[in-house]
Amino acid sequence: MANLLSFFTFSLIFLRYYSMSSSPNYTFPNKYFINCGSGSASLVPGASAATFSGDLKSDSRHTRSLKDPTTTTELAGIYGTARMFTQSSSYDLPTDENGVYMVRLHFFAFSDLFDAKFDVLASRFLLLSNFSIPKDVTSPVIKEFLVPVNGPNLEIKFRPSQESSSAFVNAIEAFVTPQYFIPESSIHVTPQGNSTNQGLSSSGLTVIHRINVGGSEINPESDTMRRNWVPDDPYLLLAKLAKNHSVYSDRPNYVPEEGGATQYDAPDSVYKTAKEMNTSQSNNSFNITWLFGVNKNAAFFVRLHFCDIVSPSRNETVFNVYIYSLFGQPIIPYNTVPQSAAPFYVDFVVDSDASGFMNISVGPRSDSFTQNAFLNGVEIMELINEREDENGKTKKRSFIIIGSAVGGVVLISVSLVVILFCLKSRKAKPVENSNWPMVSVYAGSTQSRTTVRTPIGSTTPDMNLGLKISLAEILHATNKFDPKFMIGEGGFGKVYKGTLHNGVKVAVKRSEPGHGQGLLEFQTEITVLSKIRHQHLVSLIGYCDERYEMILVYEFMEKGTLREHLYSSKEDLGKSSSESELSWGQRLQICIGAANGLDYLHTGLSEPIIHRDIKSTNILLDEHYVAKVADFGLSKSGPPEQTHIVTDVKGSFGYLDPEYLKSMQLTQKSDVYSFGVVLLEVLCARPAVDNLLPRNQMNLAEWGLSSLKENQLEKIIDPFLAGKINSNSLRKFGETVEKCLQEDGTVRPNMKHVIWDLKYALQLQHPAMPQESHEDSTTDVSWQLALPGINRLPSMNVSTSCVSVSDTESFSQLKMDEA
């Protein structure tokens, strides 16, 4: 561990000095600040006071100066006028020096400006595309960018979209930032935890988040470069695990000449406040995690600000910072800056995954004298990947990952990554979608992935051959993985609908090379599903592990996932919308069925199983809307007398048991908590986490509990159910949800009690309706399927203790461990 720590420390320091800190001789510029559409100047006071000069453009053929007579006194200044463009028009701003320029655009729509839709380019980077101001927005909208300029002019172009006849802007700020404000290159992190080095010198950036961790909002008038910083509390995954450190009374010790930050990297207020671990809530073996909404599958520049105002004395606190909970890097303040309370920052380039979220964590190291961790500030900026060429055509740019020439250690590390990647690519060749010769059906395989050595070096016994299905049979069933047959996609890979030779419909889940999820969850799924039988658990028909393929074949569930019948994500509208037509009685029956399956896992086996990833996408519905629990890649099992399992935290955001996240002790009550969130999804027809909603509604569990405490549950239900739920049934259902979501796991009900409560809620909804039996059963029609050459495994008494990652449709996985 010491060698690893030294390696990361050396790499960090080397990269830090190579990119250097911002220039300590920088003075905030006095240009350009433009009051668009106005002939007079407007002074904006503050730490970096600026005089916005009147706009002198006078080409009336293409532009117009507009003034809003209704503008309030508070907005009068730069928002009382606007420049409107009826054709593509530019501001050409002469520059005194090359470098990275801050470009800040101010928009405040009035009159007919709400109809404007337009593009904005700067230095040929496409900053905004089809941009418009929604009519319900009544306050200014400020967009901020960082743009490299290598030439005599900075051109800012406004171009009306084809369906619009105008563009506009109220004010423009464009000024050079300190030298080395953005590094030439930075560590590149992927959601799978990989790291290389990526160049940044020719990239434009869009500011997405700027967070003052542990402090209050900082407005532009109080910032050294007129930036706006917001508090971090709304982004905390578990607020009780963190606390604000008392405000540092002295001025931070800026030492830019020794690798530290300057006051222009972040103002004093950021470095004088911090979040640290709240050890009074638990032991000190947990991380503080922030969850930030970001665009899916994009690249981001992430800057984390640190200033050790927390440690009682020097060299007491070293800790780890994690991104996507997989890539970890040690933070050793006094190896970076020599003084106490000296600000510094660490930069990364981070690829987002398909969840729409980025999680950043800090946690203690075992070799730290003080078991604590802290963070002062976060900046997240998206890399701009579209730029206009000399012919006026906009093209997407490919960001090149480079091996930095800053030192042998970094170069060797990058080389090893490249070599391993090449070897992996040569070995794991996926099956192509076409031109595959059909081969004869056989049970075994000469290239079985279940018999190769695992990542920890032990040989895994071959899975029982009775469940194996040949690749030829699967290619026939899916028409060689025809994209038209694809019905879903998750973290493990794509799912296809198929029909076997005997006419049986199946769902085929094919591992996707490079997803970072594979052998362990593949083995876990087979092991768990081959030893359980229940009418409310999805059945495994077979598996295939030929030619480096990992394929699971399940019974086909005609109606898909429960989530598909509750709501859909309307990404083009930027929100999710309810589209469920399930009656309240149907929803209760589905919940009862899923609860029965979960109860069987907890109490119906010789070694109970904890599912660990209960969510609405892992509850499937057959043609009669009978619910079955699916996806056992994360499940854990143990002896009946074992009260908990100590393990890394894994699961899906929004469904994670906060007690499990805090203590890392997994219990059956963790499944109960997740099921409580599913119950709220069923009632409200919305996602467990929706970062586009107001802060108090973002987390469904918190919003639901708050509504329950205020006796306002009926106000958050799915509009389709309005007036259709018996008040007594809703009350009983709400009580069940509240019990499932208790913070203390010991007071949560077990699944048998949950089933009883749900049946009672159903009876209250239909008092005269006889209840159907949903008792445990070992009879399942899917186990009676006659498949040629496929024999069922006998029930196995095996502990499925391997750790893996399950399919996740829209949330990231968590993994907490040392760097």
Side-chain angles (χ1 to χ4, degrees), residues 21 49-50 224 299 326 386 439 456 466 500 518 554 610 641 645 667 699 770:
S21 61
T224 48
L326 292 171
E386 291 188 70
V439 295
I456 58 174
L500 299 177
Y554 305 90
I610 302 172
E641 66 276 5
I645 300 170
T667 71
N699 185 290

Side-chain angles (χ1 to χ4, degrees), residues 4-25:
L4 179 65
L5 185 61
S6 300
F7 166 76
F8 274 117
T9 305
F10 179 79
S11 301
L12 178 61
I13 294 173
F14 217 109
L15 283 170
R16 188 77 183 89
Y17 276 101
Y18 174 70
S19 61
M20 301 190 63
S21 61
S22 299
S23 171
N25 300 319

Side-chain angles (χ1 to χ4, degrees), residues 477-503:
T478 62
N479 193 25
K480 302 176 185 178
F481 299 111
D482 188 335
K484 295 179 181 178
F485 286 28
M486 197 176 82
I487 56 176
E489 184 173 8
F492 185 83
K494 294 181 174 65
V495 182
Y496 300 83
K497 179 180 179 180
T499 305
L500 299 177
H501 274 107
N502 65 348

